[in-house]
């Protein structure tokens, strides 16, 4: 339902760094940064090209924030598990922007605004994480029961969804000041921060909608946000 992009920039929950980095290699490797899953997942390759040119452009537009051009990372599973369904031919250049884990939530939201010019050039920007993501409270016995959530997960999902749809982005930035249910939903911010990059890119006139909005295994959600 969206035009085929000229390139893709992904902010993945699985690339946490000290400082900000952007992948700048011509052919990024497929990274299998997980354990305990079936071999079929480890066999997946997503051979999309990189874009050193887009990486350098991203470095420039994010100034004065120092951005390191990285040639050692690649496409982690926060990126390829999504893109292999959107663009299975892996024929669109992809770069990743890391998450500086030392920065506050407001900083990430503000940094995202500087990426707006890339959208105007046909670059699809994806924030990949989970809004409700507490692996320590997964109900493994009900793993395959789509829509099942603990009471606190239901409360958190309701809060987050309302804030997103109402445009209360400051409430989402300051989620740590919210109800206890939010702290259970976001025990660490790594999977939450990509949402802030997504919301930071919304202009005043753009429409916003939710899809794939279901709880899973009690303490997870794959709720997704589309802007534009």
């Amino acid at each position: 339902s969206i035009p085929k992009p000229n390139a893709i920039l992904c902010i993945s929950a699985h690339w946490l760094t000290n400082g900000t980095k952007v992948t700048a290699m011509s052919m990024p490797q497929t990274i299998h940064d997980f354990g305990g899953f079936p071999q079929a997942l480890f066999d997946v390759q997503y051979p999309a090209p990189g874009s050193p040119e887009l990486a350098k452009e991203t470095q420039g537009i994010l100034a004065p924030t120092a951005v390191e051009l990285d040639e050692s990372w690649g496409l982690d599973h926060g990126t390829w598990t999504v893109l292999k369904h959107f663009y299975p031919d892996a024929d669109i250049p992809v770069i990743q922007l890391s998450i500086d884990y030392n920065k506050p939530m407001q900083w990430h939201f503000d940094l995202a605004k500087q990426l707006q010019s890339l959208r105007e050039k046909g670059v699809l920007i994806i924030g990949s994480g989970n809004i409700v993501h507490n692996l320590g409270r997964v109900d493994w016995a009900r793993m395959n029961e789509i829509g099942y959530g603990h009471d606190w997960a239901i409360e958190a999902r309701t809060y987050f969804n309302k804030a997103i749809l109402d445009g209360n982005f400051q409430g989402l930035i300051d989620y740590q000041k919210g109800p206890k249910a939010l702290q259970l939903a976001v025990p660490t911010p790594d999977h939450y921060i990509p949402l802030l990059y997504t919301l930071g890119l919304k202009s005043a006139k753009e429409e916003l909608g939710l899809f794939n909005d279901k709880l899973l295994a009690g303490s997870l959600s794959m709720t997704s946000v589309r802007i534009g």
Side-chain angles (χ1 to χ4, degrees):
S1 62
I2 62 175
K4 186 175 181 178
N6 296 322
I8 298 168
L9 184 154
C10 188
I11 300 97
S12 164
H14 294 275
W15 195 21
L16 309 176
T17 55
N18 182 16
T20 302
K21 300 182 180 184
V22 63
T23 56
M25 67 286 287
S26 297
M27 289 301 300
Q29 63 178 324
T30 302
I31 301 174
H32 302 88
D33 50 329
F34 46 70
F37 290 98
Q39 184 59 40
L41 277 177
F42 293 92
D43 293 339
V44 172
Q45 293 293 314
Y46 191 76
S51 177
E53 297 78 17
L54 179 58
K56 290 178 182 177
E57 183 175 2
T58 302
Q59 182 187 49
I61 66 174
L62 290 180
T65 297
V67 178
E68 177 185 337
L69 298 176
D70 178 89
E71 297 194 10
S72 63
W73 191 244
L75 305 182
D76 60 53
H77 83 274
T79 295
W80 62 258
T81 60
V82 175
L83 294 184
K84 79 183 197 71
H85 296 291
F86 283 2
Y87 305 106
D89 294 335
D91 57 349
I92 302 171
V94 182
I95 65 172
Q96 279 197 209
L97 183 70
S98 76
I99 293 173
D100 185 345
Y101 210 50
N102 298 310
K103 299 297 186 182
M105 300 300 106
Q106 185 71 53
W107 185 91
H108 294 289
F109 182 82
D110 293 340
L111 187 69
K113 295 180 180 298
Q114 294 177 240
L115 297 170
Q116 185 65 40
S117 63
L118 294 181
R119 294 182 66 203
E120 297 165 4
K121 296 181 178 182
V123 177
L124 172 64
I125 301 178
I126 298 175
S128 176
N130 289 101
I131 301 176
V132 178
H133 187 265
N134 190 328
L135 293 178
R137 292 177 180 252
V138 165
D139 187 340
W140 296 102
R142 303 179 73 171
M143 173 57 77
N144 296 319
E145 189 174 335
I146 304 298
Y148 168 65
H150 301 309
D151 289 347
W152 58 264
I154 295 171
E155 179 185 347
R157 172 176 167 269
T158 300
Y159 179 98
F160 288 135
N161 286 7
K162 184 176 189 303
I164 291 169
L165 293 173
D166 289 348
N168 178 20
F169 295 169
Q170 197 60 51
L172 294 164
I173 293 167
D174 297 331
Y175 77 93
Q176 291 163 319
K177 300 177 182 178
K180 182 181 178 182
L182 307 191
Q183 317 313 313
L184 290 169
V186 189
T188 58
D190 46 310
H191 275 73
Y192 184 80
I193 291 171
L195 171 68
L196 301 182
Y197 279 88
T198 302
L199 299 179
L201 285 162
K202 184 183 181 300
S203 67
K205 296 181 180 179
E206 284 186 303
E207 293 186 359
L208 178 155
L210 302 179
F211 65 99
N212 200 36
D213 181 26
K214 298 239 184 339
L215 290 167
L216 175 70
S219 64
L220 306 171
S221 82
M222 297 291 182
T223 299
S224 302
V225 182
R226 173 182 165 167
I227 293 171

